[in-house]
Amino acid sequence: MDDLDRVGAAGRNSGSRTELLSSIGAALGLGGRYEASPLPRASGYLSPATMQEAPSDRGVEILAETIDRQDGHVGWVEQVAGSPAHGHIPVNITINVAGGGLPHLRVDLPTYNPFFGCNVKEMRFFDETLVIVYREKHHTIACSLDLPSGEQRLSTVGAQCVLAGALLCHLSWRGDRVDLLALPDLMPCLPLPVPPIDAGSSASIGADAGPDGSWLRWAEVGAAAEHDTGGATLLRERQVHRWFLPDEAQRGVHLDRVAVWTRLRELLTAFGLNHQEADILIGVAAVPLLYVPRFVAGTYARLLDHDTGSPPWWFPVAWYQHLLSSEGDGEAARWLAGLDRLSSGDAEDFAGWRAGWSREEGAAQLVLAHLRTHASRLASACRAGRLPADQHDWHNGWGHPLPIGAFPRGFRRAWNHLPARFRPGRRP
């Protein structure tokens, strides 16, 4: 059970099953409990995405439910299976809302194929909107359902995700950032950077709230190989960080780009980097981290994978190799020393958003923290003479969704001056 499973199990099942079925019955005006029970399921076929066995006969099952006790709304996800016919079992999954003055709203849950099931992780009302996070065959999806129109907004999210107040936090599939969606409109916010993890490890996220605000908990998890597990794999947390999430005034992605870049140059100057060197690092980390397009669709067919492109972490190492071969030891040594200074001291003191930060100041501080957690790895790669392994989409030239014109001038100048032999996929 991951963090979202725990939040969902605690948050959406706010009463006993008898109470919930009675609430659905009352919302529908039935005068008694709603009739539903677990579907009969076939053994031998397990959907790998939802970890559910397929229905084997007719029936009605409530997969998840939630009650808004203030407004009286009841929401539930329902799976209906028909009688088998010629080896085929018709299956339908719907989102339902009733009660609190609303007529019964029933809409199909957007999915590739309801036969493969649906694993609902979270349901929560936000005034006149119901937000559902669920897994189906191909995606983990956040669905925002307007009441009473039934209009849906959909966004794919990472499988590692958690609700923190009115924010949905999800780990990118590359594992290099935690993206945030403000609920209920699924509006993107600036992401939180996460440090690189060791090969063979994974990351997990969780959330909590206290008197000083909501915060995200990120942990690197690896196998505890030193234990005698008898064939089982024991996991242990290798590093844990806690970051405060943005308050309502700090959310969103609209930035004064010039102000962010100017502030970043000031922050990087404190580490002895000049304007050109700062621009290279802004292009490597700031632009990719702060590129947050809105991946929202109205139908399942128009869903897009939530991918913002890979940052060119290889570029600072390639630039060092170029300086070493053409400019002599002086410029290369200066560049390497700058990376060393970035990684020195307590590079893990970043605690997320601070109260009073503007969106631009927060963006600059996020990027600086991002750079500092990667600087040691980059310096080591420079000394080893090998590009970092995470080159991803950069083997065939430009590998970012944004054009190079969206990057700072110093980065563009360095990019255009870097010989082909130092780039990924073009080395002798």
Side-chain angles (χ1 to χ4, degrees):
M1 179 177 284
D2 61 23
D3 293 300
L4 190 53
D5 290 321
R6 285 190 286 269
V7 172
R12 68 176 184 269
N13 295 323
S14 52
S16 68
R17 183 168 186 82
T18 298
E19 178 188 358
L20 290 163
L21 293 178
S22 297
S23 297
I24 294 174
L28 294 174
L30 300 180
R33 290 177 54 189
Y34 189 67
E35 293 299 325
S37 60
L39 284 170
R41 296 187 178 271
S43 59
Y45 176 81
L46 187 69
S47 173
T50 62
M51 300 306 291
Q52 293 178 349
E53 292 178 326
S56 61
D57 207 339
R58 64 182 304 168
V60 178
E61 181 175 353
I62 305 300
L63 301 181
E65 58 283 297
T66 187
I67 300 174
D68 185 338
R69 300 190 184 279
Q70 180 175 347
D71 294 333
H73 301 332
V74 180
W76 69 98
V77 175
E78 181 176 292
Q79 185 173 19
V80 178
S83 298
H86 308 294
H88 172 71
I89 299 177
V91 179
N92 191 34
I93 303 177
T94 57
I95 306 170
N96 298 262
V97 180
L102 290 175
H104 182 194
L105 173 66
R106 181 190 292 268
V107 297
D108 289 338
L109 180 135
T111 183
Y112 171 76
N113 187 337
F115 178 80
F116 295 104
C118 166
N119 188 357
V120 179
K121 298 302 179 183
E122 183 65 65
M123 293 182 68
R124 189 174 301 177
F125 283 103
F126 291 83
D127 295 326
E128 296 302 303
T129 305
L130 177 63
V131 173
I132 307 169
V133 183
Y134 62 96
R135 291 178 185 150
E136 49 93 59
K137 181 178 181 182
H138 293 297
H139 305 286
T140 301
I141 298 173
C143 172
S144 179
L145 180 70
D146 283 335
L147 309 176
S149 70
E151 180 184 352
Q152 297 173 340
R153 292 181 295 271
L154 309 172
S155 179
T156 56
V157 297
Q160 276 277 348
C161 49
V162 66
L163 243 64
L167 286 173
L168 175 61
C169 313
H170 62 103
L171 188 66
S172 71
W173 73 268
R174 299 181 193 276
D176 60 350
R177 56 193 274 170
V178 174
D179 286 302
L180 310 179
L181 293 176
L183 303 176
D185 295 329
L186 306 182
M187 291 297 296
C189 304
L190 295 179
L192 287 169
V194 297
I197 61 176
D198 294 336
S201 294
S202 60
S204 67
I205 59 174
D208 204 351
D212 49 0
S214 296
W215 51 268
L216 179 83
R217 181 181 183 277
W218 176 94
E220 178 187 357
V221 180
E226 65 270 19
H227 295 286
D228 181 9
T229 62
T233 301
L234 293 179
L235 301 178
R236 64 188 177 103
E237 293 180 340
R238 292 178 172 172
Q239 56 174 324
V240 179
H241 303 290
R242 191 178 86 161
W243 295 299
F244 285 104
L245 295 167
D247 62 32
E248 189 170 354
Q250 296 168 326
R251 297 170 189 170
V253 294
H254 297 294
L255 296 169
D256 181 338
R257 186 176 66 174
V258 174
V260 174
W261 291 0
T262 300
R263 177 60 175 144
L264 267 169
R265 292 182 186 113
E266 292 174 354
L267 292 171
L268 291 170
T269 297
F271 293 90
L273 297 165
N274 60 33
H275 191 288
Q276 166 77 13
E277 294 164 339
D279 269 13
I280 291 175
L281 293 178
I282 291 171
V284 167
V287 180
L289 179 67
L290 303 178
Y291 171 63
V292 189
R294 192 179 187 194
F295 295 97
V296 174
T299 64
Y300 184 87
R302 295 184 177 274
L303 272 177
L304 295 173
D305 286 326
H306 198 92
D307 183 17
T308 56
S310 61
W313 289 116
W314 59 270
F315 192 80
V317 182
W319 187 246
Y320 171 79
Q321 295 170 351
H322 164 60
L323 292 177
L324 198 61
S325 67
S326 61
E327 303 291 336
D329 291 346
E331 288 298 313
R334 174 186 169 82
W335 179 239
L336 183 57
L339 295 177
D340 285 336
R341 284 191 294 272
L342 275 173
S343 64
S344 65
D346 187 3
E348 309 298 340
D349 60 357
F350 174 69
W353 284 85
R354 294 182 185 174
W357 271 354
S358 68
R359 204 174 295 162
E360 283 72 22
E361 179 66 21
Q365 295 290 345
L366 295 178
V367 172
L368 180 63
H370 198 33
L371 282 167
R372 296 196 68 189
T373 58
H374 283 263
S376 177
R377 185 172 67 103
L378 296 177
S380 297
C382 287
R383 291 185 170 92
R386 297 189 303 271
L387 296 187
D390 51 350
Q391 298 157 23
H392 297 297
D393 305 325
W394 296 85
H395 282 272
N396 297 315
W398 188 252
H400 197 272
L402 288 175
I404 192 172
F407 286 63
R409 180 180 299 178
F411 176 88
R412 299 199 307 268
R413 186 185 302 116
W415 176 270
N416 292 328
H417 280 81
L418 182 68
R421 69 181 184 276
F422 295 106
R423 300 177 188 271
R426 300 189 182 184
R427 296 167 63 81

